[in-house]
Amino acid sequence: MITCPNPSCQATNPDDQTVCLTCQTAIPHRYLWVVGGGASLKPGKQLANRYTVQPTSPQIVLDTQPGFLTEVPTNLPDFVRPYLFLTSYPVAVPRPYALLPDGTLLLEDAAIVAEPPAKPPTVMAALTDRWAQATPLRQLNWLWQIAQLWQPCSDEQVAGTLLQLPLCRVDGGLLKLLEIRLDVPGQPATPAALGPVWQPLADQAHPTLRPFLQALCAQLQTGAIQTGEQLVEGLEQGIAIALPQQSVTGNLAVLTDQGPTRQRNEDTCYPTSGSTQPMQFVPSQPGQPRLLMVCDGIGGHEGGDVASKLAVAMIEQRLKPLLQPSATYPDPVIVALALEQAICAANDEIAQQNDHEARQARDRMGTTAVIGLILGPQLYLAHIGDSRAYRISARRCQQVTLDDDVAAREVRLGYGFYHNVVDQPGTGALVQALGMNASTSLYPNVQRFLLDEDCVFLLCSDGLSDGERVEQFWESELLPLVRGHKPTLAVAESLVQIANTYNGHDNVTVGLLQVSANDYQPQPIEPDRISARNPARQPTQTTRLQTRQPPARTRLAAKAAPAPAPSRPSIWPLLLGIVGLVALAGGLVTFLFADSGLRTVSTGVSTDDAPIPDSTVRPSPPDSPPQENRPLTLEPLTYAALAEPLSLQASPELADGTIPATTSLPSGTIIRVLSKQDLADQSRWVQVEVCGQAKETPSPSNPDDISPEQVLPPAQGWILESQLAARVQTASDLPESCLN
């Protein structure tokens, strides 16, 4: 039996019911993965008098009381915290749901599928079990997703999880970790360890891909590839060859509606509401890129509709260069950069209008945004706020974006489990949206999906996603679209009707992308496609495309990072440490109470007859310090604009005085400092990376001075620190959201 989640009902129902027999409230079926605990798990057994073990697997349980808070102790064990800190990767990493008194951890959004109609839940297939039957593009896609996770997992000392292939499960083209395991203390995992782990996969890869992967494994084992970033770039070169060999067709539809209770529609979509567009990408023929946008305006009594319209117009204008048919696909980093710059430009346009109209605090207008850019058999998703994107396959429905709200931030900081935090007052408030602050404090989230199977992507405002309506109706409404049984626009109309009937408190906008992956025409991918574009260096989080937003925990820790201790005993470290702790405590107090003035976002169904008040909020600034123009400090992650041409060397000056090959950079080039090195002759060298070319000298107040059309080819090199300082005109910590 399963208990109705409606607090005023709580009737028990057979566990195969989707709605309560008494009050007709939707009953969520949360299947959870069991980690640790040592409990004797048998089918039908209940853990903590609540979680029923399923017959298909002793490690899958059903929550029979989905409307109640879960068990979360005050002090979390070490093996739980990495799950929270990696919450920014919702596609691949499961989320903690409950921690039982005996130490058993239950994970939601886990590697579990319950194929409709009414099939029992099972564990996703292991990557190794699906490897031999996969196309070269999918094989590269799986390895690319592992490589994307390497650095964030390494930061949390769980990279060894990626070396255990039985923990890597797959649902079509998507990778999902079964669970996370801590590395052995003092023995951090390195990318070189992936070489022997991947070698059997390389030997069994598709014949057209086998030499490429074998060469990649050899470079891993010999140390030619030393970082997760280099591994991603190597795989990207293979994907660039395999991607045009995949044929994709589909349809796009979008629809927006005022809703039954609102006086006006503050949502805006692109293309225009009610329109549909076909798409077709076949090898050797340029296809028409497609753009899909959903913006949910916020701004109290007025202004939300203005903000959402401004955002759509500005983003569409900025992305026009990418919407032209082309026989080749642009570099993924360039696309991600263009999306981030378009979002920043829209943000500044709205913020400037707020300033011009002297709007303050809650009167400032803004908007959330979720954007889908389809370039051939790949989809780029970008989002800000709580408008969402879902991916629906023949087996499951998964939310692939993470709301920019207080609840998600609390989880990323390790303060609690999302299922518990989200129901607390104030945790539905947004922490970032377009138009509220300068783009220097904005962190757009950008993801990339390779489209190699039949699926549907749903983009929607919270008028539909509130109350878990997508999870409730995906089988009846979206699964037929995956299987090609319904027109795309008709499904959009049905979803809008569901939102108005079951929620009804807000405007609603629905964007649908239906994808059909057709024939794949494999062509050989030669080993010489792997080139060491980037020499070994310390990896940075700005190189990740899967989720470009640094975890809030990382940003918070960076503010309070202590200075290095001196080489000889001194009382100053103790005093500085005390001051630092006091400052950190003050910062945490400020952080914890920063959202006290925010209005909350409704995440469920109101029990009152009156409509739910405006669920949009004025977000407080994200937990990142404001960026300021300041003199050049040649530390890692410093960005600078060259005032005059400069030549980079492939390596520091050699001991015999010879000079290696050089790369010439024009004035106006944007560079980023990567590392420094002192040679025996006391000279200090700086390693830099080329990030782009400015139209004019950029500044933090105008980060959109850098356009994607002007980004230079990737380049790195070395120069004497004194020479670099003499050729730099401006320097600043330009935001990751506007410059990679």
Side-chain angles (χ1 to χ4, degrees):
M1 306 296 288
I2 189 168
T3 303
C4 174
N6 184 346
S8 61
C9 176
Q10 297 187 4
T12 56
N13 298 266
D15 62 8
D16 59 354
Q17 286 296 123
T18 58
V19 295
C20 177
L21 297 175
T22 302
C23 69
Q24 301 302 304
T25 297
I27 299 178
H29 284 64
R30 296 195 174 98
Y31 293 107
L32 313 170
W33 180 254
V34 179
V35 178
S40 177
L41 303 178
K42 297 180 180 179
K45 176 183 174 63
Q46 276 205 339
L47 304 182
N49 296 318
R50 174 171 177 172
Y51 308 98
T52 303
V53 178
Q54 298 300 290
T56 50
S57 172
Q59 287 186 267
I60 299 178
V61 297
L62 173 67
D63 184 4
T64 62
Q65 300 174 28
F68 293 84
L69 294 179
T70 60
E71 299 81 359
V72 182
T74 304
N75 297 319
L76 296 176
D78 291 341
F79 80 95
V80 175
R81 295 189 178 277
Y83 289 98
L84 304 179
F85 300 148
L86 293 171
T87 301
S88 296
Y89 300 84
V91 175
V93 180
R95 193 163 57 189
Y97 186 81
L99 184 63
L100 305 186
D102 65 354
T104 300
L105 176 66
L106 305 181
L107 301 175
E108 66 174 328
D109 194 19
I112 298 172
V113 290
E115 280 193 62
K119 290 188 177 180
T122 58
V123 185
M124 289 181 185
L127 180 151
T128 51
D129 293 338
R130 293 287 186 265
W131 180 261
Q133 296 79 33
T135 64
L137 179 60
R138 181 166 294 185
Q139 290 175 344
L140 286 167
N141 187 14
W142 287 336
L143 298 184
W144 175 76
Q145 291 174 72
I146 293 175
Q148 289 278 346
L149 290 170
W150 184 266
Q151 189 56 47
C153 285
S154 181
D155 292 341
E156 305 305 336
Q157 301 179 6
V158 293
T161 301
L162 304 174
L163 301 175
Q164 304 180 49
L165 292 182
L167 299 181
C168 298
R169 302 291 169 143
V170 293
D171 172 32
L174 289 191
L175 177 88
K176 192 79 175 184
L177 296 180
L178 194 60
E179 57 189 62
I180 290 175
R181 296 178 184 174
L182 293 174
D183 293 344
V184 177
Q187 301 179 24
T190 64
L194 281 171
V197 173
W198 284 7
Q199 189 65 56
L201 298 177
D203 295 340
Q204 300 172 34
H206 192 279
T208 61
L209 179 61
R210 190 176 302 150
F212 177 87
L213 288 185
Q214 289 173 335
L216 188 74
C217 290
Q219 292 196 21
L220 283 167
Q221 296 183 70
T222 60
I225 295 177
Q226 299 182 15
T227 68
E229 177 184 346
Q230 290 177 318
L231 180 58
V232 169
E233 291 183 350
L235 290 165
E236 285 279 13
Q237 293 171 60
I239 290 175
I241 302 300
L243 200 62
Q245 302 165 21
Q246 176 70 62
S247 298
V248 172
T249 58
N251 288 282
L252 176 154
V254 64
L255 190 64
T256 186
D257 189 79
Q258 179 175 310
T261 61
R262 289 303 179 90
Q263 298 302 311
R264 67 181 183 279
N265 191 354
E266 296 189 346
D267 288 4
T268 304
C269 60
Y270 182 91
T272 56
S273 179
S275 62
T276 61
Q277 295 179 354
M279 68 174 192
Q280 181 176 12
F281 301 95
V282 296
S284 73
Q285 294 185 18
Q288 175 64 54
R290 297 298 184 188
L291 180 63
L292 178 62
M293 283 189 281
V294 171
C295 291
D296 182 357
I298 58 181
H301 298 295
E302 59 181 8
D305 54 334
V306 176
S308 63
K309 288 181 173 62
L310 281 174
V312 165
M314 179 60 69
I315 293 171
E316 188 269 340
Q317 175 186 346
R318 286 302 188 100
L319 294 180
K320 275 184 178 179
L322 293 174
L323 297 178
Q324 305 304 315
S326 174
T328 60
Y329 303 124
D331 186 278
V333 174
I334 301 302
V335 178
L337 177 62
L339 282 165
E340 292 177 349
Q341 290 180 332
I343 290 172
C344 289
N347 175 84
D348 291 342
E349 182 78 11
I350 301 169
Q352 289 171 10
Q353 184 152 337
N354 278 327
D355 295 339
H356 178 72
E357 297 176 1
R359 293 174 177 262
Q360 300 294 328
R362 295 176 182 272
D363 290 331
R364 291 179 72 85
M365 62 182 178
T367 183
T368 68
V370 58
I371 306 161
L373 177 62
I374 304 98
L375 297 175
Q378 55 186 339
L379 168 68
Y380 291 85
L381 276 179
H383 92 278
I384 287 286
D386 61 356
S387 291
R388 293 181 177 179
Y390 294 82
R391 178 184 180 273
I392 298 91
S393 68
R395 296 163 296 279
R396 68 197 300 256
C397 170
Q398 181 180 12
Q399 180 182 337
V400 296
T401 55
L402 184 69
D403 293 350
D404 288 321
D405 59 12
V406 174
R409 186 181 66 183
E410 295 291 288
V411 174
R412 290 200 309 271
L413 290 170
Y415 295 151
F417 292 0
Y418 187 81
H419 183 67
N420 279 13
V421 173
V422 74
D423 288 328
Q424 297 177 8
T427 56
L430 301 182
V431 296
Q432 64 171 355
L434 297 182
M436 296 302 171
N437 298 285
S439 57
T440 53
S441 60
L442 204 64
Y443 289 86
N445 300 274
V446 180
Q447 302 179 74
R448 178 187 179 209
F449 296 87
L450 303 187
L451 307 177
D452 63 351
E453 68 172 324
D454 294 355
C455 63
V456 168
F457 282 88
L458 164 66
L459 281 60
C460 66
S461 62
D462 59 358
L464 174 63
S465 61
D466 279 354
E468 298 186 349
R469 300 305 173 194
V470 177
E471 293 83 352
Q472 179 182 352
F473 289 100
W474 78 271
E475 289 186 30
S476 61
E477 303 301 326
L478 291 166
L479 189 58
L481 183 57
V482 175
R483 295 171 174 169
H485 297 162
K486 280 187 177 181
T488 310
L489 185 58
V491 174
E493 292 170 346
S494 296
L495 293 174
V496 167
Q497 184 60 42
I498 286 171
N500 289 337
T501 301
Y502 292 91
N503 288 341
H505 58 276
D506 202 354
N507 314 135
V508 58
T509 303
V510 171
L512 289 170
L513 172 64
Q514 179 266 326
V515 176
S516 296
N518 303 312
D519 293 337
Y520 182 84
Q521 302 177 8
Q523 300 293 329
I525 303 176
E526 301 300 333
D528 59 7
R529 298 301 305 182
I530 306 176
S531 61
R533 293 193 301 174
N534 280 345
R537 69 168 190 254
Q538 292 296 321
T540 64
Q541 294 201 359
T542 57
T543 60
R544 298 199 309 266
L545 178 64
Q546 185 67 20
T547 302
R548 303 176 74 84
Q549 177 182 0
R553 182 181 73 91
T554 303
R555 300 202 302 270
L556 185 64
K559 299 180 194 177
S567 58
R568 58 177 181 267
S570 171
I571 192 173
W572 287 107
L574 177 61
L575 295 178
L576 290 174
I578 294 174
V579 172
L581 288 174
V582 171
L584 177 59
L588 288 175
V589 169
T590 303
F591 173 81
L592 292 173
F593 291 95
D595 298 294
S596 58
L598 298 180
R599 285 158 42 187
T600 61
V601 174
S602 172
T603 56
V605 182
S606 175
T607 57
D608 300 327
D609 293 333
I612 298 178
D614 190 340
S615 62
T616 54
V617 296
R618 304 328 163 271
S620 63
D623 52 335
S624 57
Q627 308 293 332
E628 300 176 354
N629 222 3
R630 55 181 180 273
L632 173 64
T633 56
L634 296 179
E635 300 297 333
L637 297 186
T638 298
Y639 292 92
L642 299 182
E644 54 186 276
L646 178 72
S647 293
L648 297 181
Q649 297 182 181
S651 61
E653 187 172 8
L654 302 180
D656 60 4
T658 60
I659 303 296
T662 61
T663 300
S664 297
L665 302 179
S667 60
T669 299
I670 304 301
I671 61 170
R672 177 176 60 183
V673 176
L674 300 176
S675 63
K676 296 188 292 185
Q677 180 176 337
D678 294 329
L679 299 187
D681 61 359
Q682 305 302 312
S683 63
R684 171 166 290 185
W685 292 77
V686 179
Q687 185 189 27
V688 301
E689 176 184 47
V690 174
C691 297
Q693 178 71 18
K695 292 180 290 188
E696 55 184 347
T697 300
S699 66
S701 61
N702 293 290
D704 57 334
D705 283 345
I706 306 166
S707 65
E709 307 95 86
Q710 296 172 303
V711 175
L712 299 177
Q716 291 183 357
W718 294 81
I719 185 173
L720 283 168
E721 183 179 46
S722 57
Q723 294 180 2
L724 177 60
R727 288 168 170 79
V728 168
Q729 182 171 350
T730 61
S732 63
D733 287 340
L734 292 180
E736 298 171 23
S737 57
C738 296
L739 178 62
N740 186 21

